Amino acid sequence: METIRKYFNHFVTLSDAEWTDLENCLSKERISKKQLILKEGEFCDFIAFIHEGSFRFYHDLEGEEKITAFFFQGDFVSNYRSFLTGMPSKHHIEAMDEALIYKINLKALQSLYDKYKNIERLGRLIAENLYLTVANRVDSFMFKTPAERYQELVARNSRLIHEIPQYMIASYLGITPETLSRIRARK
Amino acid sequence: METIRKYFNHFVTLSDAEWTDLENCLSKERISKKQLILKEGEFCDFIAFIHEGSFRFYHDLEGEEKITAFFFQGDFVSNYRSFLTGMPSKHHIEAMDEALIYKINLKALQSLYDKYKNIERLGRLIAENLYLTVANRVDSFMFKTPAERYQELVARNSRLIHEIPQYMIASYLGITPETLSRIRARK
């Protein structure tokens, strides 16, 4: 748990009382490979902090899996739009390997927001952080080549990138596995 | 100013003291048509609330203007990534008609965050709101046809949509003005 506290402290320094209350709201979950932590159509009532492991967002596009995002250790993972709006998720969230996450649910988080200004701030900083993640994704989709987007992914997690099946990375980049092989070979 | 207070009250109910302090930090600016409120390469040190008017985000793509977003009355407009990270903006923000905005700058906002929990909350809710805006934009780019994206724009502001030059809407949708005419004719 100290690792998590340190991580949150990057955003805002929590007092012992704030941390104890927050810690009591975090549920530690071990997730097995290929387990879905959220299904398409469900309401996402949590934000999870990834302590170990990696996740992918995908949805079925006419029978084919279309991958729209990867999340790695140290990231927050949530269908944040569903979390904020109460609308059903348009994506599945699946563990790509064994994972350890710390989840907080919406109601618990809201009562912490009410109770502590610092946790209200933590919520703002997480929202800002998730904003930057999705804004980078827009830019990446709109302005970058598949090769550049592959490099970005490598920069985010050079170790895990070798463990993700090639077809998943190709789906995310919107290219064929053959084109991905050529990009990888060119490096 | 009462309109602005009412608008902020949709997010969070501010006390008189909170509102007075916030109001003192808002600078009212009249913007003329085609005026840039932010240039590519500049740091965006403000969030502006659009009381009247509309704005577009664009950048130069090999000599051609590429439009990536429109903002209308009642929206917050900012290069929020630049605002959050201190990085230079990759876009221009230009008024498409005469506009009236209320700007708050980063330092003033940060001191209000420090002073008031409720304004910290307002900041979180604005961040969440901007998250949803950009997340919808990703979805729109990735999964929707130009015709569907045109309908979305109409739904956001049916009046202004008729005042925006056709070539700008076409640039935003990533289609030619001729294709846009066909979409409009089909309605």
Side-chain angles (χ1 to χ4, degrees):
Chain A
M1 274 289 185
E2 272 310 300
T3 332
I4 312 294
R5 184 171 184 177
K6 268 188 200 154
Y7 187 84
F8 284 135
N9 276 345
H10 290 174
F11 290 100
V12 60
T13 308
L14 299 172
S15 70
D16 286 340
E18 288 160 350
W19 170 247
T20 304
D21 263 18
L22 177 57
E23 191 180 8
N24 287 335
C25 294
L26 293 173
S27 73
K28 180 175 172 174
E29 292 185 20
R30 294 204 172 273
I31 310 292
S32 47
K33 188 172 175 169
K34 296 201 176 173
Q35 186 180 331
L36 294 172
I37 59 168
L38 187 76
K39 287 181 192 155
E40 196 174 331
E42 286 179 351
F43 162 55
C44 181
D45 69 346
F46 66 85
I47 297 179
F49 174 76
I50 306 173
H51 190 250
E52 283 169 30
S54 55
F55 291 84
R56 64 184 183 119
F57 265 47
Y58 74 94
H59 63 277
D60 293 314
L61 195 66
E62 292 156 15
E64 207 186 316
E65 285 181 8
K66 173 66 193 159
I67 295 173
T68 52
F70 293 113
F71 292 85
F72 302 118
Q73 189 177 326
D75 290 337
F76 289 103
V77 63
S78 168
N79 187 314
Y80 196 48
R81 175 174 13 200
S82 169
F83 182 82
L84 294 178
T85 62
M87 305 273 286
S89 170
K90 292 178 188 167
H91 302 85
H92 301 284
I93 308 179
E94 190 195 76
M96 295 194 292
D97 40 26
E98 282 194 22
L100 179 63
I101 60 175
Y102 290 88
K103 269 165 103 169
I104 184 160
N105 78 38
L106 181 60
K107 276 201 175 167
L109 190 59
Q110 279 172 337
S111 70
L112 290 173
Y113 286 158
D114 288 340
K115 197 164 172 188
Y116 298 113
K117 182 175 187 301
N118 249 341
I119 295 182
E120 186 63 69
R121 171 162 296 185
L122 180 66
R124 172 172 63 82
L125 295 170
I126 291 173
E128 292 176 354
N129 181 280
L130 289 168
Y131 173 90
L132 291 173
T133 307
V134 72
N136 286 334
R137 204 148 74 226
V138 183
D139 264 27
S140 174
F141 276 120
M142 289 183 63
F143 306 122
K144 295 194 172 154
T145 64
E148 286 168 334
R149 295 180 57 220
Y150 177 73
Q151 291 314 321
E152 269 182 354
L153 209 53
V154 172
R156 280 178 63 203
N157 200 314
S158 58
R159 188 177 59 81
L160 280 171
I161 206 77
H162 295 291
E163 294 166 14
I164 301 174
Q166 187 115 334
Y167 83 91
M168 289 190 187
I169 297 178
S171 168
Y172 172 74
L173 298 175
I175 58 179
T176 63
E178 293 69 33
T179 308
L180 177 57
S181 295
R182 279 198 294 277
I183 290 172
R184 280 182 150 166
R186 232 183 284 148
K187 276 192 64 184
Chain B
M1 274 290 186
E2 272 311 299
T3 332
I4 312 293
R5 184 172 183 177
K6 268 187 200 153
Y7 187 84
F8 284 135
N9 276 345
H10 289 174
F11 290 101
V12 60
T13 308
L14 298 172
S15 71
D16 287 341
E18 289 160 349
W19 170 247
T20 304
D21 263 18
L22 177 58
E23 192 180 6
N24 288 336
C25 294
L26 292 173
S27 71
K28 180 176 173 173
E29 292 187 19
R30 294 205 172 272
I31 310 291
S32 47
K33 187 172 174 169
K34 296 201 175 175
Q35 187 180 330
L36 294 173
I37 59 168
L38 186 76
K39 287 183 192 155
E40 195 175 331
E42 287 178 351
F43 162 53
C44 182
D45 68 346
F46 67 85
I47 297 180
F49 174 75
I50 306 173
H51 190 251
E52 283 168 31
S54 55
F55 291 84
R56 65 184 182 118
F57 265 48
Y58 73 95
H59 64 277
D60 294 313
L61 195 66
E62 292 158 14
E64 206 185 318
E65 284 181 8
K66 173 65 194 158
I67 296 173
T68 52
F70 293 114
F71 292 86
F72 301 118
Q73 188 176 327
D75 289 338
F76 289 104
V77 62
S78 168
N79 187 314
Y80 196 48
R81 173 171 17 199
S82 169
F83 182 83
L84 294 178
T85 62
M87 304 273 286
S89 170
K90 292 178 188 168
H91 301 86
H92 301 284
I93 308 180
E94 190 195 75
M96 295 194 292
D97 39 26
E98 282 193 21
L100 179 63
I101 60 174
Y102 290 88
K103 269 165 102 169
I104 185 160
N105 78 38
L106 181 61
K107 276 202 174 163
L109 191 58
Q110 279 172 337
S111 70
L112 290 173
Y113 286 158
D114 288 340
K115 199 164 170 189
Y116 297 113
K117 181 176 188 299
N118 248 342
I119 295 182
E120 186 65 67
R121 171 162 296 185
L122 180 66
R124 171 172 62 81
L125 296 170
I126 291 173
E128 292 176 353
N129 181 281
L130 289 168
Y131 174 89
L132 291 174
T133 307
V134 72
N136 286 336
R137 205 147 73 228
V138 183
D139 263 27
S140 174
F141 277 120
M142 288 184 63
F143 307 121
K144 294 194 173 154
T145 64
E148 286 168 334
R149 296 180 57 220
Y150 177 72
Q151 291 314 323
E152 268 182 355
L153 210 52
V154 172
R156 279 179 62 203
N157 200 315
S158 56
R159 189 176 59 82
L160 280 171
I161 206 79
H162 295 291
E163 294 166 13
I164 301 174
Q166 187 114 334
Y167 83 90
M168 288 188 187
I169 298 178
S171 167
Y172 172 74
L173 299 175
I175 58 179
T176 63
E178 293 71 30
T179 308
L180 177 57
S181 296
R182 278 198 295 278
I183 289 173
R184 280 180 151 169
R186 232 182 284 150
K187 275 191 66 189

